[in-house]
Amino acid sequence: MSRIFAFAVGTARSSTAGTPLDFYFPAPVINPDPDLAALIEGSFSSGVHQVAPGSLDRFAEAVGDPAMADVMRRLAAADRAMTAVRLDADEPIDSPAAAYLKLHLLSHRLALPNTLNLDGVFAHLPNVAWTDAGPIDPAELPAAQLKARLDGGHIEVLAVDKFPRMTNYVIPSGVRIADASRIRLGAYLGDGTTVMHEGQINFNAGALGPNMVEGRISQGVILGEHSDLGGSASTMGTLSGGGEITISIGKHCLIGANAGTGIPLGDRCTIEAGLYITAGTPVTLIDETGEDVRTMKARELAGGSDLLFIRNGRTGRIECRSNRKAIELNDQLHAHN
Amino acid sequence: MSRIFAFAVGTARSSTAGTPLDFYFPAPVINPDPDLAALIEGSFSSGVHQVAPGSLDRFAEAVGDPAMADVMRRLAAADRAMTAVRLDADEPIDSPAAAYLKLHLLSHRLALPNTLNLDGVFAHLPNVAWTDAGPIDPAELPAAQLKARLDGGHIEVLAVDKFPRMTNYVIPSGVRIADASRIRLGAYLGDGTTVMHEGQINFNAGALGPNMVEGRISQGVILGEHSDLGGSASTMGTLSGGGEITISIGKHCLIGANAGTGIPLGDRCTIEAGLYITAGTPVTLIDETGEDVRTMKARELAGGSDLLFIRNGRTGRIECRSNRKAIELNDQLHAHN
Amino acid sequence: MSRIFAFAVGTARSSTAGTPLDFYFPAPVINPDPDLAALIEGSFSSGVHQVAPGSLDRFAEAVGDPAMADVMRRLAAADRAMTAVRLDADEPIDSPAAAYLKLHLLSHRLALPNTLNLDGVFAHLPNVAWTDAGPIDPAELPAAQLKARLDGGHIEVLAVDKFPRMTNYVIPSGVRIADASRIRLGAYLGDGTTVMHEGQINFNAGALGPNMVEGRISQGVILGEHSDLGGSASTMGTLSGGGEITISIGKHCLIGANAGTGIPLGDRCTIEAGLYITAGTPVTLIDETGEDVRTMKARELAGGSDLLFIRNGRTGRIECRSNRKAIELNDQLHAHN
């Protein structure tokens, strides 16, 4: 167990009034090995601190990892103060810098969604106007907008939000993102993830890759390898509507276009296009011979594999059939009933 | 009754050929009190006029409201001509400047949706290419694009539309907007409104706040306090598909993800995720004892409160049950049948 | 039959390492008339070449079309190398420049979707970070981002994708596009097409115009004249989920909000809001007297006209009724059963 939970050095931007707006950490660290932990402990005290760039020289020289050493050398050569964050344990977030560090850890693939303590993230992230003139405190924006207009231009305001767009901080390797405005910092995009224009990924949520994401991955939701989320498909998050169940979708699943799920799914599951399954939806389970097993709430099927959910076009009944490609797993499912 | 309906002074931008492209009014006024009305009448003639900035000095000194006085002083100090718009009555829109003024009134929360005469708004708003080089007449864009490319760059074209993005003109207090490209000038966002990435708000439409908006608020639609519009949820507008009924959603409603409504709803209503109710949808009303009342077109339930709409997972039938949280209002509903 | 299939001259941008990032062709040509074909053959060799701007002077003088001559004169006056592409036949794509040329042909309305050989387009389009600092090779982006941050700014990354946004290359006449980030180069937008914020058009897909597009037009899909695609409506593409059937939607159709289709439709068809029809959906056909004809897979109705698809609110059954506005065509449909 490392004595250091997480660490990063990077740049900060502030409002005219001096309040923090954002932090950029190009080489964040989680659970460093003993050598690096000792170096961090010897160089930085716990918590959030402004540091002079020159003070990073010694650290940059001593770091073993060449990529991190290179980043540190660049930071050390800068002409502005840096922010260093050293967290000794994964405790609730108590500062904007700590919030940004944890969001970076997720998007740098250093931590999976639902593995970090994110309590306090909303309370400590400032609301920011993200503009083509940089981040601006919303309270300072009207005056800035007026000034730009009087100069014949305008400020393009892209968002007013606590969470910035991931791609302005880190772009994980091996991904394609058709519209970067829809992915928040703190999203986890595994290698081979393609997010189409209609795809959206919240913070503390993601796709393990490879995946095709054309729907919405809500806070807390994880999409497993080789699963597709169809256009406008919905996954219920725990922040709104989804209650206490954390939704995950296993491997080789297909959630059809305009479909949705309020229950977690195992592997090789399909929900047909246009069908929304919530935890309380009555579902009739049908076995591999075509016989009805019984009707139950969908939550009883939570986490099951090899399930095919449809709404019968003749009767309007919602049915769950074993996926014919993997019928041998159906017995196991029945055993749980 | 004020002798002045609305008034504003601000900046304008024009095409190379001199046609108007957009107007920015930082401190618009509706139904001014008699003192301000008299000041406006004494300072500006009716209609749309270019005014020299210096001519605003006297007005700025005389205005009682400190915030407005401050804006006017800044405008008076500018080095470019300003546009003044004085509308004596809420008549059909007859100029681009008048269109922009009315859209500003809505987004500045000075008028609720459906309370302004917006006839002529499409005819008088110019179609504009909204770019990172400012607004450009689409007819002048190809030459500008070619020039930028020959210089090694390009022009980023964000939209080609009559309506600009609200946030470049006004950002109401107390809101979060995850993707500003989806909210048109003329949208009304009440205090406490959060619009997620999938949320979209048209002009003359809005949310009274506080609200969570993850779906589409069509032209003419109002979402009441403490109501949630789920991801990709649809509200039928009067411009396309919704016919003559104006849709509104009351307080404490929940329109589920991928759901939709073509009828107005009262308070404390729920539409389950994935269910779309149109005016002509046959709905079976079920009372609090679980007995069927009768089957009717959904439009007969328009405006009702404490309604829960689901599609039965066993039978495929669309049902409307009284919302158990507020069952005392159910009798009133039945009385209307 | 022209001896030249397609031709264009334009600008290119490259990574620091020299790999191509994008091409801009302001006046592409398809199937030129014999005079122009002869001029091209006499001026440029087959394939992709860098050309000095001055070498375009003679070509610009000789071109008959005044608009093309004007563009060529501007290119000839530039101070950077141009890229010329001459394709003698519509063969599989074998270079980034050829890919960009074919995508330009579609968006310039010089070729309809599904009429060009696009084999190899994914293999030959480079993945690019599209930013407010221009296109950047994703491998070169982290260093550029760090540099911008150390300078106190940041690079706004709009997308990381093989396909750029159409509007940065060509904006067809007579269109409105509420959010340009959702339309890829290679989309075909006919005159009179309005794409709302929720509309999305892939490459090799489009709307013939006039159309209202508030849903997703997938790769390979064509929307016919006077048809509306409702908010979040889905059309299954051949790249994901749609299998081998190419989807097209005829004239005067209405695909409701949150609806979808996995079968092609003829003219004057309606799918009610919220209903998704896939090829395998069982649909009960009902004739103009209200009698059931029979229940079939939706694919048997593929391409039919005057069809109204609903899911019955009483029974949950999916039904296809003849559209009452054009009932005379119903007999023809029945004859095919």
Side-chain angles (χ1 to χ4, degrees):
Chain A
M1 195 67 182
S2 174
R3 296 165 301 183
I4 303 286
F5 163 63
F7 166 75
V9 184
T11 61
R13 291 187 289 191
S14 302
S15 70
T16 302
T19 59
L21 295 174
D22 82 334
F23 298 87
Y24 166 74
F25 297 124
V29 169
I30 193 168
N31 297 323
D33 62 40
D35 284 355
L36 181 53
L39 178 62
I40 293 167
E41 281 194 317
S43 307
F44 302 94
S45 54
S46 188
V48 180
H49 306 281
Q50 276 215 354
V51 296
S55 71
L56 301 170
D57 271 329
R58 197 181 62 86
F59 187 87
E61 291 310 311
V63 162
D65 178 64
M68 188 180 187
D70 181 58
V71 167
M72 285 295 167
R73 273 192 295 269
R74 289 170 188 259
L75 295 179
D79 61 357
R80 59 186 63 236
M82 294 293 139
T83 297
V85 184
R86 172 184 146 195
L87 303 180
D88 293 350
D90 187 15
E91 294 180 339
I93 288 167
D94 61 1
S95 70
Y100 268 86
L101 172 51
K102 290 193 178 180
L103 297 177
H104 275 77
L105 293 175
L106 287 158
S107 291
H108 273 272
R109 297 179 184 154
L110 295 173
L112 284 168
N114 302 321
T115 65
L116 298 182
N117 186 338
L118 296 174
D119 291 350
V121 68
F122 279 96
H124 287 283
L125 279 178
N127 197 27
V128 172
W130 304 100
T131 85
D132 65 351
I136 298 179
D137 183 336
E140 297 176 348
L141 186 59
Q145 288 181 305
L146 177 55
K147 183 175 184 307
R149 290 282 179 171
L150 292 178
D151 291 341
H154 76 276
I155 293 175
E156 186 75 32
V157 179
L158 305 169
V160 181
D161 199 6
K162 288 173 174 282
F163 294 85
R165 296 169 183 187
M166 181 190 77
T167 52
N168 293 349
Y169 299 81
V170 54
I171 298 181
S173 59
V175 304
R176 286 201 291 136
I177 297 169
D179 183 354
S181 64
R182 294 173 67 89
I183 301 181
R184 279 177 159 171
L185 182 64
Y188 182 106
L189 276 72
D191 191 51
T193 298
T194 294
V195 186
M196 287 289 285
H197 307 73
E198 188 62 23
Q200 192 237 313
I201 309 183
N202 211 330
F203 77 98
N204 190 43
L208 299 181
N211 296 101
M212 174 60 71
V213 180
E214 309 193 49
R216 303 183 299 276
I217 303 184
S218 300
Q219 196 275 136
V221 175
I222 299 177
L223 185 66
E225 300 166 22
H226 299 287
S227 286
D228 283 5
L229 193 61
S232 282
S234 164
T235 56
M236 278 195 180
T238 48
L239 291 182
S240 62
E244 293 305 305
I245 308 178
T246 297
I247 306 293
S248 63
I249 296 170
K251 304 175 185 177
H252 296 282
C253 291
L254 171 63
I255 313 299
N258 294 6
T261 183
I263 62 168
L265 298 173
D267 301 332
R268 297 171 301 281
C269 291
T270 299
I271 300 179
E272 72 165 351
L275 175 61
Y276 208 114
I277 302 290
T278 62
T281 301
V283 175
T284 301
L285 184 66
I286 297 180
D287 70 16
E288 64 274 29
T289 68
E291 296 288 311
D292 291 5
V293 177
R294 72 183 172 87
T295 300
M296 63 195 77
K297 301 278 191 189
R299 67 169 58 87
E300 292 189 46
L301 294 163
S305 290
D306 299 289
L307 303 177
L308 167 64
F309 292 89
I310 66 161
R311 188 186 290 271
N312 190 305
R314 287 179 172 82
T315 66
R317 191 173 72 165
I318 298 179
E319 298 170 351
C320 175
R321 296 164 182 272
S322 64
N323 191 320
R324 281 163 297 176
K325 289 179 185 163
I327 208 162
E328 73 280 2
L329 291 179
N330 210 27
D331 290 338
Q332 186 188 354
L333 177 71
H334 285 194
H336 288 304
N337 294 317
Chain B
M1 196 65 182
S2 175
R3 295 165 301 185
I4 303 287
F5 163 64
F7 167 74
V9 183
T11 61
R13 291 187 288 191
S14 301
S15 70
T16 302
T19 60
L21 295 174
D22 83 335
F23 297 87
Y24 166 74
F25 297 125
V29 169
I30 192 169
N31 297 323
D33 62 40
D35 284 356
L36 181 53
L39 179 62
I40 294 167
E41 282 194 317
S43 306
F44 302 93
S45 54
S46 189
V48 180
H49 307 280
Q50 275 214 353
V51 295
S55 70
L56 300 171
D57 272 328
R58 196 181 63 88
F59 187 87
E61 292 309 312
V63 161
D65 179 63
M68 189 179 186
D70 182 59
V71 167
M72 284 295 166
R73 274 191 296 269
R74 289 171 188 258
L75 296 178
D79 60 357
R80 60 186 62 234
M82 294 294 137
T83 297
V85 184
R86 172 184 145 193
L87 304 180
D88 293 348
D90 188 14
E91 294 181 338
I93 289 166
D94 61 1
S95 70
Y100 268 85
L101 172 51
K102 291 193 178 181
L103 297 176
H104 274 77
L105 292 176
L106 288 158
S107 291
H108 273 272
R109 298 179 184 154
L110 295 173
L112 285 169
N114 301 321
T115 65
L116 298 182
N117 186 338
L118 296 173
D119 291 351
V121 68
F122 278 96
H124 287 282
L125 280 178
N127 196 28
V128 172
W130 305 100
T131 85
D132 64 351
I136 298 178
D137 182 337
E140 296 176 349
L141 186 58
Q145 287 181 305
L146 177 54
K147 181 174 185 308
R149 291 281 178 173
L150 293 178
D151 291 340
H154 76 276
I155 293 175
E156 186 75 33
V157 180
L158 306 169
V160 182
D161 198 5
K162 289 174 174 281
F163 296 85
R165 295 168 184 190
M166 182 191 75
T167 53
N168 293 349
Y169 299 80
V170 53
I171 298 179
S173 58
V175 304
R176 288 202 289 136
I177 298 168
D179 184 354
S181 64
R182 293 173 67 89
I183 300 181
R184 278 176 161 172
L185 183 63
Y188 182 106
L189 276 71
D191 191 50
T193 299
T194 294
V195 187
M196 287 289 286
H197 307 74
E198 188 61 24
Q200 192 238 314
I201 308 183
N202 211 329
F203 75 98
N204 191 42
L208 299 182
N211 295 102
M212 174 61 71
V213 180
E214 309 194 48
R216 303 183 300 275
I217 302 184
S218 300
Q219 197 277 133
V221 175
I222 299 178
L223 185 66
E225 300 166 22
H226 299 285
S227 285
D228 283 6
L229 193 62
S232 282
S234 164
T235 56
M236 277 194 180
T238 48
L239 290 181
S240 60
E244 292 304 306
I245 309 179
T246 297
I247 306 295
S248 63
I249 295 169
K251 302 175 185 178
H252 296 281
C253 290
L254 171 62
I255 312 300
N258 293 6
T261 183
I263 62 167
L265 298 172
D267 300 332
R268 297 172 301 280
C269 291
T270 300
I271 301 179
E272 73 165 353
L275 176 61
Y276 208 114
I277 301 290
T278 62
T281 301
V283 175
T284 301
L285 184 66
I286 297 179
D287 70 15
E288 63 274 27
T289 68
E291 296 289 310
D292 291 6
V293 177
R294 70 183 173 88
T295 300
M296 64 194 77
K297 299 278 191 190
R299 66 169 59 87
E300 292 190 46
L301 294 164
S305 290
D306 299 288
L307 303 177
L308 168 64
F309 292 89
I310 66 162
R311 188 186 291 271
N312 191 304
R314 287 178 171 84
T315 66
R317 190 173 73 164
I318 297 180
E319 298 169 352
C320 175
R321 295 163 182 271
S322 66
N323 190 321
R324 282 163 295 175
K325 289 177 185 164
I327 208 162
E328 73 278 3
L329 291 178
N330 211 25
D331 291 337
Q332 186 189 353
L333 177 72
H334 285 194
H336 288 302
N337 295 318
Chain C
M1 195 64 181
S2 174
R3 295 164 302 183
I4 303 287
F5 163 64
F7 167 75
V9 184
T11 62
R13 292 187 289 190
S14 301
S15 71
T16 302
T19 60
L21 295 174
D22 83 334
F23 298 86
Y24 167 74
F25 297 124
V29 169
I30 192 169
N31 297 323
D33 62 40
D35 284 355
L36 181 53
L39 178 61
I40 294 167
E41 282 193 317
S43 307
F44 302 93
S45 54
S46 189
V48 180
H49 307 280
Q50 275 214 353
V51 296
S55 71
L56 300 171
D57 272 329
R58 196 180 62 87
F59 187 88
E61 292 308 312
V63 162
D65 179 63
M68 190 179 185
D70 182 58
V71 167
M72 285 294 167
R73 272 191 297 268
R74 288 170 188 258
L75 296 179
D79 61 358
R80 59 187 61 238
M82 294 292 139
T83 297
V85 184
R86 173 185 145 193
L87 304 181
D88 293 348
D90 187 14
E91 293 180 341
I93 289 167
D94 61 1
S95 70
Y100 268 85
L101 173 51
K102 290 192 178 181
L103 297 177
H104 275 78
L105 292 176
L106 288 158
S107 292
H108 273 271
R109 297 178 183 155
L110 295 172
L112 284 168
N114 302 320
T115 65
L116 297 182
N117 185 339
L118 296 173
D119 291 351
V121 68
F122 279 96
H124 287 283
L125 280 178
N127 197 28
V128 171
W130 305 100
T131 85
D132 64 352
I136 299 179
D137 182 335
E140 296 176 349
L141 186 58
Q145 287 181 304
L146 176 54
K147 182 173 184 310
R149 291 279 179 173
L150 292 178
D151 291 341
H154 76 274
I155 293 175
E156 186 75 33
V157 180
L158 305 170
V160 182
D161 199 5
K162 289 173 174 280
F163 294 85
R165 296 169 184 187
M166 181 191 77
T167 52
N168 293 348
Y169 298 80
V170 54
I171 298 180
S173 58
V175 303
R176 287 201 293 137
I177 297 168
D179 184 354
S181 63
R182 294 173 67 89
I183 301 181
R184 279 177 159 170
L185 183 63
Y188 182 106
L189 276 71
D191 192 48
T193 298
T194 294
V195 186
M196 287 290 285
H197 307 73
E198 188 62 25
Q200 192 238 312
I201 309 183
N202 211 329
F203 76 97
N204 191 42
L208 299 182
N211 297 101
M212 173 61 70
V213 180
E214 309 194 48
R216 303 183 299 277
I217 303 184
S218 300
Q219 197 276 134
V221 175
I222 298 177
L223 185 66
E225 298 166 24
H226 299 286
S227 287
D228 283 5
L229 193 62
S232 282
S234 164
T235 55
M236 279 194 179
T238 48
L239 291 181
S240 60
E244 293 305 305
I245 308 179
T246 297
I247 306 294
S248 63
I249 295 170
K251 302 176 186 178
H252 296 281
C253 290
L254 171 62
I255 312 300
N258 295 4
T261 184
I263 61 167
L265 298 172
D267 301 332
R268 298 172 301 281
C269 290
T270 299
I271 300 178
E272 72 165 351
L275 176 61
Y276 208 114
I277 301 291
T278 62
T281 300
V283 175
T284 301
L285 185 65
I286 297 179
D287 69 17
E288 65 274 29
T289 68
E291 296 288 311
D292 291 7
V293 178
R294 71 182 173 88
T295 300
M296 63 194 77
K297 300 279 192 188
R299 68 169 57 87
E300 292 189 47
L301 294 163
S305 290
D306 299 290
L307 304 177
L308 167 64
F309 293 89
I310 66 163
R311 187 186 293 269
N312 190 306
R314 287 179 172 81
T315 65
R317 189 174 74 164
I318 297 178
E319 298 170 350
C320 175
R321 295 164 183 273
S322 65
N323 190 322
R324 283 163 294 174
K325 290 179 186 162
I327 209 162
E328 72 279 3
L329 290 179
N330 210 26
D331 289 338
Q332 184 187 355
L333 177 71
H334 285 196
H336 288 303
N337 296 317

